[in-house]
Amino acid sequence: MGVIKASTIIVFIVYLASMIGIGVYFYRKDKDEGSGLEGYLLGGRDLNPWVAALSAGASDMSGWLLMGLPGAAYISGFSAGWMGIGLAIGTWANWQFVSKRFRIYSEISGDSITMSDYFENRFKDDSGILRMISALFILFFFFVYTSSGFVASAKLFGVVFNMSYVPALILGAVVIMGYTVLGGFAAVSWTDLVQGTLMILALIGVPIGLISTLGGLNNALDSVRVINPNLLRFFANPDGNSLGFWATVSLMSWGLGYPGQPHVTARFMAIRSHEDTKAATVIGTVWVIIGLFTSVMIGTFGIAYFANTPLEGTEIENVFMLLIQVMLHPAVAGLFLAAVLAAVMSTADSQLLVTSSSFTRDFYQVFFNKEATDEQLVKVSRISVFFIAVIAFLLALNPESKVLDLVSYAWAGLGATFGPIVIMSVYWRDMTRNSAIAGMVTGGLTVIIWPLVTSGALSEIYELLPAFVFAILAITIVSKLGSKPVKGITDEFDEMIDILNKK
């Protein structure tokens, strides 16, 4: 075992012990205070702006930010930055225009603690249809999303410890499940605060070291230019052809996905006051902009660093980790590699929690035990984390899986299925239950069907874009054609607006 591996193991053990320690702390705190299911799933609606913002950023960016995006930039250069620009705009818009209204409305509408709760309560749906459909889509797309986190963890442990894929996958799954089961939402959010801080330090430190190693910024740019000048052009593919309007719009359309991500909107529900969303908007947006910019720099300049031994196939997504190992002091390398683990854990834990909460609230409580106590529901939620993780683990068994591909599909599915409903539900007083169902089904099915039926230029369009547009059209048309919402719905909307307008 080399010096790098020895120091890395030490850092990993300390890091993992501290994260599990947080989980144990909140497990004991939850038992002592008896905070119930709301405490387990939303942390008692008591997150401060820093925790809420960094937790939202860390949980949605995941290993994708340190693997998928640098890998995309390694292949495409600066043109991959359009994806980052879209996500940065989407982050800001989501916090600026959705978070405050959603925080207020989710509490007014039956003190909703999950996205399915909110939909059912917002539209006064006693039939359970809206809850059932939303839960099915959440489970389907989150199985894929969670598997991407397990794939990322397997790649990390494979690079660091020279482990084969399956043992590395098992190790990552066990660690992630451990403190998610123990501590619930509060543990996940506070560990995300630590992880988000560690991630941003790594994302800033590595490109600085990389540029320095390459002889400064100008020399780094020149080195990439010698390999392929098209990699430094924002509107060009690596082959020199124009990126094109629809390709650019498709990359930027990633930003549309934010309002529909249950693990992000959960932070909106959990922040201690709607007044705290202003500070969280600044914190979250700055974090995301720095992370996305530096991630593209890492992938692009990594092309120059590995010019003599170019990365190929699935190892391209390992560019960040490989740079850490070969460039940095062993102790620093161990810390920054722990940041990669932090990124993976911060999303996978949130995904497991959202999926388990959907199963517990939308299936177990509705169909098996309507009179279940909070204590029983928390136990079921903890148990379901294990079984959900097993399914995600099975989906992640293919060693050829790519983090970016899995995240892209799940992100589009959740964004198109729920994003239009979340946005329009907090802005349109006359939106109806039937229109919510129509928008949900239209958005989700379009994401599933689009890649299967399109070809040529249409197949190059990211499925989130048409699915999002079609869902909005479906919501608008069905609301206009149907009957007006009942008074209870409009009264709650007016109450939300009144609170929003209070100084």
Side-chain angles (χ1 to χ4, degrees), residues 300-376:
T300 303
F301 292 136
I303 298 168
Y305 189 92
F306 292 109
N308 295 328
T309 55
L311 305 181
E312 298 179 351
T314 57
E315 70 176 352
I316 289 174
E317 289 192 326
N318 297 339
V319 59
F320 179 74
M321 296 182 289
L322 293 173
L323 285 169
I324 288 174
Q325 280 197 316
V326 298
M327 284 176 44
L328 301 178
H329 183 278
V332 179
L335 180 64
F336 282 1
L337 285 169
V340 181
L341 180 61
V344 174
M345 292 170 67
S346 64
T347 292
D349 56 20
S350 297
Q351 292 160 349
L352 282 173
L353 199 60
V354 169
T355 314
S356 69
S357 70
S358 181
F359 174 82
T360 303
R361 295 279 288 185
D362 305 329
F363 287 98
Y364 176 77
Q365 189 172 21
V366 172
F367 295 105
F368 300 104
N369 191 355
K370 292 183 179 180
E371 305 302 321
T373 65
D374 265 11
E375 183 179 357
Q376 289 173 321

Coordinates of all heavy atoms in Angstrom, one line a residue, residues 300-376:
T300 N -11.9 20.3 -18.7 CA -11.3 20.9 -19.9 C -9.7 20.9 -19.8 O -9.0 20.4 -20.7 CB -11.8 22.3 -20.1 OG1 -13.2 22.3 -20.2 CG2 -11.1 22.9 -21.4
F301 N -9.2 21.3 -18.6 CA -7.8 21.3 -18.5 C -7.2 20.0 -18.2 O -6.0 19.7 -18.4 CB -7.4 22.3 -17.4 CG -7.6 23.8 -17.7 CD1 -8.2 24.6 -16.8 CD2 -7.3 24.3 -19.0 CE1 -8.5 25.9 -17.1 CE2 -7.6 25.6 -19.3 CZ -8.2 26.4 -18.4
G302 N -8.1 19.1 -17.8 CA -7.6 17.7 -17.6 C -7.2 17.1 -18.9 O -6.4 16.1 -19.0
I303 N -7.8 17.6 -20.0 CA -7.4 17.1 -21.4 C -5.9 17.4 -21.6 O -5.2 16.5 -22.1 CB -8.2 17.9 -22.4 CG1 -9.7 17.6 -22.3 CG2 -7.8 17.5 -23.8 CD1 -10.6 18.5 -23.1
A304 N -5.5 18.5 -21.2 CA -4.1 18.9 -21.4 C -3.2 18.0 -20.4 O -2.1 17.6 -20.8 CB -3.8 20.3 -21.1
Y305 N -3.6 17.8 -19.2 CA -2.8 17.1 -18.3 C -2.6 15.6 -18.7 O -1.5 15.1 -18.6 CB -3.5 17.1 -16.9 CG -2.6 16.6 -15.8 CD1 -1.7 17.4 -15.1 CD2 -2.5 15.2 -15.5 CE1 -0.9 17.0 -14.1 CE2 -1.7 14.7 -14.5 CZ -0.9 15.6 -13.8 OH -0.1 15.1 -12.8
F306 N -3.6 15.0 -19.2 CA -3.5 13.6 -19.7 C -3.3 13.5 -21.2 O -3.7 12.5 -21.8 CB -4.8 12.9 -19.3 CG -5.0 12.7 -17.8 CD1 -5.9 13.4 -17.1 CD2 -4.2 11.8 -17.1 CE1 -6.1 13.2 -15.7 CE2 -4.3 11.7 -15.7 CZ -5.3 12.4 -15.0
A307 N -2.7 14.5 -21.8 CA -2.4 14.5 -23.2 C -1.7 13.3 -23.7 O -1.9 12.8 -24.8 CB -1.7 15.8 -23.6
N308 N -0.7 12.9 -22.9 CA 0.2 11.7 -23.4 C -0.5 10.4 -23.1 O -0.2 9.4 -23.7 CB 1.5 11.8 -22.6 CG 2.3 13.0 -23.0 OD1 2.2 13.5 -24.1 ND2 3.1 13.5 -22.1
T309 N -1.4 10.3 -22.2 CA -2.2 9.1 -21.9 C -3.7 9.4 -21.8 O -4.2 9.4 -20.7 CB -1.7 8.4 -20.6 OG1 -1.8 9.4 -19.5 CG2 -0.2 8.0 -20.7
P310 N -4.3 9.7 -22.9 CA -5.7 10.1 -22.8 C -6.6 9.1 -22.2 O -6.4 7.9 -22.3 CB -6.1 10.2 -24.3 CG -4.8 10.4 -25.0 CD -3.8 9.6 -24.3
L311 N -7.6 9.6 -21.4 CA -8.6 8.7 -20.8 C -9.6 8.2 -21.8 O -9.9 8.9 -22.8 CB -9.3 9.5 -19.7 CG -8.4 10.1 -18.6 CD1 -9.3 10.8 -17.6 CD2 -7.5 9.1 -17.9
E312 N -10.1 7.0 -21.6 CA -11.0 6.4 -22.5 C -12.2 5.7 -21.8 O -12.0 5.3 -20.6 CB -10.3 5.3 -23.4 CG -9.2 5.9 -24.3 CD -8.5 4.8 -25.1 OE1 -8.8 3.6 -24.8 OE2 -7.7 5.2 -25.9
G313 N -13.3 5.6 -22.5 CA -14.4 4.8 -21.9 C -14.9 5.4 -20.6 O -15.0 6.6 -20.4
T314 N -15.3 4.5 -19.7 CA -15.9 4.8 -18.4 C -14.9 5.6 -17.5 O -15.3 6.2 -16.6 CB -16.4 3.6 -17.7 OG1 -15.3 2.7 -17.5 CG2 -17.5 3.0 -18.5
E315 N -13.6 5.5 -17.8 CA -12.6 6.1 -16.9 C -12.6 7.6 -17.1 O -12.0 8.4 -16.3 CB -11.2 5.6 -17.2 CG -10.6 5.9 -18.5 CD -9.1 5.4 -18.6 OE1 -8.6 4.9 -17.6 OE2 -8.6 5.5 -19.7
I316 N -13.2 8.1 -18.2 CA -13.3 9.6 -18.5 C -14.0 10.3 -17.3 O -13.6 11.4 -16.9 CB -14.0 9.9 -19.8 CG1 -13.2 9.4 -21.0 CG2 -14.4 11.3 -19.9 CD1 -13.8 9.6 -22.3
E317 N -15.0 9.6 -16.7 CA -15.7 10.2 -15.6 C -14.9 10.2 -14.3 O -15.3 10.8 -13.3 CB -17.0 9.5 -15.3 CG -18.1 9.9 -16.4 CD -19.5 9.4 -16.0 OE1 -19.6 8.4 -15.3 OE2 -20.4 10.1 -16.4
N318 N -13.7 9.6 -14.3 CA -12.8 9.5 -13.2 C -11.7 10.6 -13.2 O -10.8 10.6 -12.4 CB -12.1 8.2 -13.1 CG -13.1 7.0 -12.9 OD1 -14.2 7.2 -12.4 ND2 -12.6 5.8 -13.2
V319 N -11.8 11.5 -14.2 CA -10.8 12.5 -14.4 C -10.5 13.3 -13.2 O -9.3 13.6 -12.8 CB -11.1 13.5 -15.6 CG1 -12.4 14.2 -15.4 CG2 -10.0 14.4 -15.9
F320 N -11.5 13.8 -12.5 CA -11.3 14.5 -11.2 C -10.5 13.7 -10.2 O -9.6 14.2 -9.6 CB -12.7 15.0 -10.7 CG -12.6 15.8 -9.4 CD1 -12.2 17.1 -9.4 CD2 -13.0 15.2 -8.2 CE1 -12.1 17.8 -8.2 CE2 -12.9 15.9 -7.0 CZ -12.5 17.2 -7.1
M321 N -10.9 12.5 -10.0 CA -10.3 11.7 -9.0 C -8.9 11.3 -9.3 O -8.0 11.3 -8.5 CB -11.1 10.4 -8.7 CG -12.5 10.6 -8.2 SD -13.4 9.1 -7.9 CE -13.8 8.6 -9.5
L322 N -8.6 11.1 -10.6 CA -7.3 10.8 -11.1 C -6.3 12.0 -10.9 O -5.2 11.8 -10.5 CB -7.3 10.3 -12.5 CG -8.0 9.0 -12.8 CD1 -8.2 8.7 -14.3 CD2 -7.3 7.8 -12.1
L323 N -6.9 13.2 -11.2 CA -6.1 14.4 -11.0 C -5.7 14.6 -9.6 O -4.6 15.0 -9.2 CB -6.8 15.6 -11.5 CG -6.9 15.8 -13.0 CD1 -7.9 16.8 -13.4 CD2 -5.6 16.1 -13.6
I324 N -6.6 14.3 -8.7 CA -6.4 14.4 -7.3 C -5.2 13.5 -6.8 O -4.3 13.9 -6.1 CB -7.6 14.1 -6.4 CG1 -8.7 15.2 -6.6 CG2 -7.3 13.9 -5.0 CD1 -10.0 14.9 -5.9
Q325 N -5.3 12.3 -7.3 CA -4.3 11.3 -6.9 C -2.9 11.6 -7.4 O -1.9 11.4 -6.7 CB -4.7 9.9 -7.4 CG -5.8 9.2 -6.5 CD -5.8 7.7 -6.8 OE1 -5.8 7.3 -8.0 NE2 -5.9 6.9 -5.8
V326 N -2.8 12.1 -8.6 CA -1.4 12.3 -9.2 C -0.9 13.6 -8.9 O 0.4 13.8 -9.0 CB -1.5 12.0 -10.7 CG1 -1.9 10.6 -11.0 CG2 -2.4 13.0 -11.4
M327 N -1.7 14.6 -8.6 CA -1.2 16.0 -8.4 C -0.9 16.5 -7.0 O 0.0 17.3 -6.8 CB -2.3 17.0 -9.0 CG -2.3 17.0 -10.5 SD -3.6 18.1 -11.1 CE -3.4 19.5 -9.9
L328 N -1.7 16.0 -6.1 CA -1.7 16.6 -4.8 C -0.9 15.8 -3.7 O -0.7 14.6 -3.9 CB -3.2 16.7 -4.3 CG -4.1 17.6 -5.2 CD1 -5.5 17.6 -4.6 CD2 -3.6 19.0 -5.4
H329 N -0.6 16.5 -2.6 CA 0.1 15.9 -1.5 C -0.9 14.8 -1.0 O -2.1 15.0 -1.0 CB 0.3 16.9 -0.4 CG 1.0 16.4 0.8 ND1 0.4 15.7 1.8 CD2 2.4 16.4 1.1 CE1 1.3 15.4 2.7 NE2 2.5 15.8 2.3
P330 N -0.3 13.7 -0.5 CA -1.2 12.6 -0.1 C -2.3 12.9 0.9 O -3.4 12.5 0.8 CB -0.2 11.6 0.6 CG 1.1 11.8 -0.2 CD 1.1 13.3 -0.5
A331 N -2.0 13.8 1.9 CA -3.0 14.1 2.9 C -4.1 15.0 2.3 O -5.3 14.8 2.5 CB -2.3 14.9 4.0
V332 N -3.7 15.9 1.4 CA -4.7 16.7 0.7 C -5.5 15.9 -0.2 O -6.7 16.1 -0.4 CB -4.0 17.9 0.0 CG1 -5.1 18.7 -0.8 CG2 -3.2 18.8 0.9
A333 N -4.8 14.9 -0.9 CA -5.5 14.0 -1.8 C -6.6 13.3 -1.1 O -7.7 13.1 -1.6 CB -4.5 13.1 -2.5
G334 N -6.3 12.8 0.1 CA -7.2 12.0 0.9 C -8.4 12.9 1.3 O -9.6 12.4 1.2
L335 N -8.2 14.1 1.6 CA -9.3 15.0 2.0 C -10.2 15.3 0.8 O -11.4 15.3 0.9 CB -8.7 16.3 2.5 CG -9.8 17.4 2.9 CD1 -10.6 16.9 4.1 CD2 -9.1 18.7 3.3
F336 N -9.6 15.6 -0.4 CA -10.4 15.9 -1.6 C -11.1 14.7 -2.1 O -12.2 14.8 -2.7 CB -9.5 16.5 -2.6 CG -9.2 18.0 -2.4 CD1 -9.6 18.6 -1.2 CD2 -8.4 18.7 -3.2 CE1 -9.4 19.9 -0.9 CE2 -8.1 20.1 -3.0 CZ -8.6 20.7 -1.8
L337 N -10.5 13.5 -2.0 CA -11.2 12.3 -2.4 C -12.4 12.0 -1.5 O -13.4 11.5 -1.9 CB -10.2 11.1 -2.4 CG -9.3 11.1 -3.6 CD1 -8.2 10.0 -3.4 CD2 -10.0 10.9 -4.9
A338 N -12.2 12.4 -0.2 CA -13.4 12.3 0.7 C -14.5 13.3 0.2 O -15.7 13.0 0.4 CB -13.0 12.7 2.1
A339 N -14.1 14.4 -0.5 CA -15.1 15.3 -1.0 C -15.9 14.6 -2.1 O -17.1 14.9 -2.2 CB -14.4 16.6 -1.5
V340 N -15.3 13.8 -2.9 CA -16.0 13.1 -3.9 C -17.0 12.1 -3.2 O -18.2 12.0 -3.7 CB -15.1 12.2 -4.8 CG1 -15.9 11.5 -5.9 CG2 -14.0 13.2 -5.5
L341 N -16.6 11.4 -2.2 CA -17.5 10.6 -1.4 C -18.6 11.4 -0.8 O -19.8 11.0 -0.8 CB -16.7 9.8 -0.3 CG -17.6 8.9 0.5 CD1 -18.2 7.8 -0.3 CD2 -16.7 8.3 1.7
A342 N -18.3 12.6 -0.4 CA -19.3 13.5 0.2 C -20.3 13.9 -0.9 O -21.5 13.9 -0.6 CB -18.6 14.8 0.7
A343 N -19.9 14.1 -2.1 CA -20.8 14.5 -3.1 C -21.8 13.3 -3.4 O -23.0 13.5 -3.6 CB -20.1 14.9 -4.4
V344 N -21.2 12.1 -3.5 CA -22.0 10.9 -3.8 C -23.0 10.7 -2.6 O -24.2 10.5 -2.9 CB -21.1 9.7 -4.0 CG1 -22.0 8.4 -4.1 CG2 -20.2 9.9 -5.2
M345 N -22.5 10.7 -1.4 CA -23.4 10.4 -0.3 C -24.5 11.5 -0.1 O -25.6 11.2 0.2 CB -22.5 10.4 1.0 CG -21.6 9.2 1.1 SD -20.4 9.3 2.4 CE -21.5 9.2 3.8
S346 N -24.1 12.8 -0.4 CA -25.1 13.8 -0.1 C -26.3 13.7 -1.0 O -27.4 14.2 -0.6 CB -24.4 15.2 -0.4 OG -24.0 15.3 -1.7
T347 N -26.2 13.1 -2.2 CA -27.4 13.0 -3.0 C -28.0 11.6 -2.8 O -29.3 11.5 -2.7 CB -27.0 13.1 -4.5 OG1 -26.6 14.4 -4.8 CG2 -28.2 12.7 -5.4
A348 N -27.3 10.6 -2.7 CA -27.8 9.2 -2.5 C -28.7 9.1 -1.2 O -29.7 8.5 -1.2 CB -26.7 8.2 -2.5
D349 N -28.2 9.8 -0.2 CA -28.9 9.7 1.1 C -30.3 10.4 1.0 O -31.3 10.0 1.4 CB -28.1 10.3 2.3 CG -27.6 11.7 2.1 OD1 -28.2 12.4 1.2 OD2 -26.7 12.1 2.8
S350 N -30.3 11.6 0.3 CA -31.5 12.3 0.1 C -32.5 11.6 -0.8 O -33.7 11.6 -0.6 CB -31.2 13.7 -0.5 OG -30.4 14.5 0.3
Q351 N -31.9 10.9 -1.8 CA -32.8 10.2 -2.7 C -33.4 9.0 -2.0 O -34.6 8.7 -2.2 CB -32.0 9.7 -3.9 CG -31.5 10.8 -4.8 CD -30.3 10.4 -5.7 OE1 -29.7 9.4 -5.5 NE2 -30.0 11.3 -6.6
L352 N -32.6 8.3 -1.2 CA -33.2 7.2 -0.4 C -34.3 7.7 0.6 O -35.3 7.0 0.7 CB -32.1 6.5 0.4 CG -31.1 5.6 -0.3 CD1 -30.0 5.1 0.6 CD2 -31.9 4.4 -0.8
L353 N -34.1 8.8 1.2 CA -35.0 9.4 2.1 C -36.3 9.8 1.4 O -37.4 9.5 1.9 CB -34.4 10.6 2.9 CG -35.1 10.9 4.2 CD1 -35.0 9.8 5.2 CD2 -34.5 12.2 4.8
V354 N -36.2 10.4 0.3 CA -37.4 10.8 -0.5 C -38.2 9.6 -0.9 O -39.4 9.5 -0.8 CB -37.1 11.7 -1.7 CG1 -38.3 11.9 -2.6 CG2 -36.6 13.1 -1.2
T355 N -37.5 8.6 -1.5 CA -38.1 7.4 -2.0 C -38.8 6.6 -0.8 O -39.9 6.1 -1.0 CB -37.1 6.5 -2.7 OG1 -36.3 7.3 -3.6 CG2 -37.8 5.4 -3.5
S356 N -38.1 6.5 0.3 CA -38.7 5.8 1.4 C -39.9 6.5 2.0 O -40.9 5.9 2.4 CB -37.7 5.6 2.5 OG -37.3 6.8 3.2
S357 N -39.8 7.9 2.0 CA -41.0 8.6 2.5 C -42.2 8.5 1.6 O -43.3 8.4 2.0 CB -40.6 10.1 2.6 OG -40.5 10.7 1.3
S358 N -41.9 8.4 0.3 CA -43.0 8.2 -0.7 C -43.7 6.8 -0.5 O -44.9 6.7 -0.5 CB -42.5 8.3 -2.1 OG -43.5 8.1 -3.0
F359 N -42.8 5.8 -0.3 CA -43.3 4.5 0.0 C -44.1 4.4 1.2 O -45.2 3.9 1.3 CB -42.2 3.4 0.0 CG -42.7 2.1 0.4 CD1 -43.2 1.2 -0.5 CD2 -42.6 1.6 1.7 CE1 -43.6 -0.1 -0.2 CE2 -43.0 0.4 2.1 CZ -43.5 -0.5 1.1
T360 N -43.6 5.0 2.3 CA -44.3 5.0 3.6 C -45.6 5.7 3.6 O -46.6 5.2 4.1 CB -43.3 5.6 4.7 OG1 -42.1 4.9 4.7 CG2 -44.0 5.5 6.1
R361 N -45.6 6.9 3.1 CA -46.8 7.8 3.2 C -47.8 7.4 2.1 O -49.0 7.4 2.3 CB -46.4 9.2 3.0 CG -45.6 9.8 4.1 CD -46.4 10.2 5.3 NE -47.1 11.4 5.0 CZ -47.9 12.0 5.9 NH1 -47.9 11.6 7.1 NH2 -48.6 13.1 5.6
D362 N -47.3 7.0 0.9 CA -48.2 6.9 -0.3 C -48.6 5.5 -0.5 O -49.6 5.3 -1.3 CB -47.5 7.5 -1.5 CG -47.1 8.9 -1.3 OD1 -47.7 9.6 -0.5 OD2 -46.1 9.3 -1.9
F363 N -48.0 4.5 0.1 CA -48.4 3.1 -0.1 C -48.7 2.4 1.2 O -49.8 2.0 1.4 CB -47.3 2.3 -0.9 CG -47.2 2.7 -2.3 CD1 -46.2 3.6 -2.8 CD2 -48.0 2.1 -3.2 CE1 -46.1 3.9 -4.1 CE2 -47.9 2.4 -4.6 CZ -47.0 3.3 -5.0
Y364 N -47.7 2.4 2.1 CA -48.0 1.7 3.4 C -49.1 2.3 4.2 O -50.1 1.6 4.6 CB -46.7 1.7 4.2 CG -46.9 1.1 5.6 CD1 -46.9 -0.3 5.7 CD2 -47.1 1.9 6.7 CE1 -47.1 -0.9 7.0 CE2 -47.3 1.3 8.0 CZ -47.3 -0.1 8.1 OH -47.5 -0.6 9.3
Q365 N -49.1 3.6 4.4 CA -50.1 4.2 5.2 C -51.5 4.2 4.5 O -52.5 4.1 5.1 CB -49.7 5.7 5.5 CG -50.7 6.3 6.5 CD -50.2 7.7 7.0 OE1 -49.4 8.3 6.3 NE2 -50.6 8.1 8.2
V366 N -51.5 4.4 3.2 CA -52.8 4.5 2.4 C -53.4 3.1 2.3 O -54.6 3.0 2.4 CB -52.5 5.1 1.0 CG1 -53.8 5.0 0.2 CG2 -52.1 6.6 1.2
F367 N -52.6 2.1 2.0 CA -53.2 0.8 1.6 C -53.1 -0.3 2.7 O -53.8 -1.3 2.7 CB -52.5 0.3 0.3 CG -52.8 1.1 -0.9 CD1 -51.8 1.9 -1.4 CD2 -54.0 1.1 -1.5 CE1 -52.1 2.7 -2.5 CE2 -54.3 1.9 -2.6 CZ -53.3 2.7 -3.1
F368 N -52.1 -0.1 3.6 CA -51.9 -1.2 4.6 C -52.2 -0.9 6.0 O -52.6 -1.7 6.8 CB -50.4 -1.7 4.5 CG -50.1 -2.2 3.1 CD1 -49.3 -1.5 2.3 CD2 -50.5 -3.5 2.7 CE1 -49.0 -2.0 1.0 CE2 -50.2 -4.0 1.5 CZ -49.4 -3.2 0.6
N369 N -52.0 0.4 6.4 CA -52.2 0.8 7.8 C -52.6 2.3 7.9 O -51.7 3.1 8.2 CB -51.0 0.4 8.6 CG -51.2 0.5 10.1 OD1 -52.3 0.9 10.6 ND2 -50.2 0.2 10.9
K370 N -53.8 2.6 7.6 CA -54.2 4.0 7.7 C -54.1 4.6 9.0 O -54.0 5.8 9.2 CB -55.7 4.1 7.1 CG -55.8 3.7 5.7 CD -57.3 3.9 5.2 CE -57.4 3.6 3.7 NZ -58.7 3.8 3.2
E371 N -54.2 3.8 10.1 CA -54.2 4.3 11.4 C -52.8 4.2 12.1 O -52.6 4.2 13.3 CB -55.2 3.5 12.3 CG -56.6 3.5 11.8 CD -57.2 4.8 11.6 OE1 -56.9 5.7 12.5 OE2 -57.9 5.1 10.7
A372 N -51.8 4.0 11.2 CA -50.4 3.9 11.8 C -50.0 5.1 12.6 O -50.2 6.2 12.2 CB -49.4 3.6 10.6
T373 N -49.3 4.8 13.7 CA -48.8 5.9 14.5 C -47.5 6.5 13.8 O -46.9 5.8 13.0 CB -48.4 5.4 15.9 OG1 -47.4 4.4 15.8 CG2 -49.7 4.8 16.5
D374 N -47.1 7.6 14.3 CA -45.8 8.2 13.8 C -44.6 7.3 14.0 O -43.7 7.2 13.2 CB -45.6 9.6 14.5 CG -46.1 10.7 13.6 OD1 -46.8 10.5 12.6 OD2 -45.8 11.9 13.9
E375 N -44.6 6.7 15.2 CA -43.5 5.8 15.5 C -43.5 4.6 14.6 O -42.4 4.2 14.1 CB -43.7 5.2 17.0 CG -42.5 4.3 17.4 CD -42.7 3.9 18.9 OE1 -43.7 4.3 19.5 OE2 -41.9 3.1 19.3
Q376 N -44.6 4.1 14.2 CA -44.7 3.0 13.2 C -44.2 3.4 11.9 O -43.5 2.7 11.2 CB -46.1 2.4 13.2 CG -46.5 1.6 14.4 CD -48.0 1.2 14.4 OE1 -48.8 2.0 13.9 NE2 -48.3 0.0 14.8

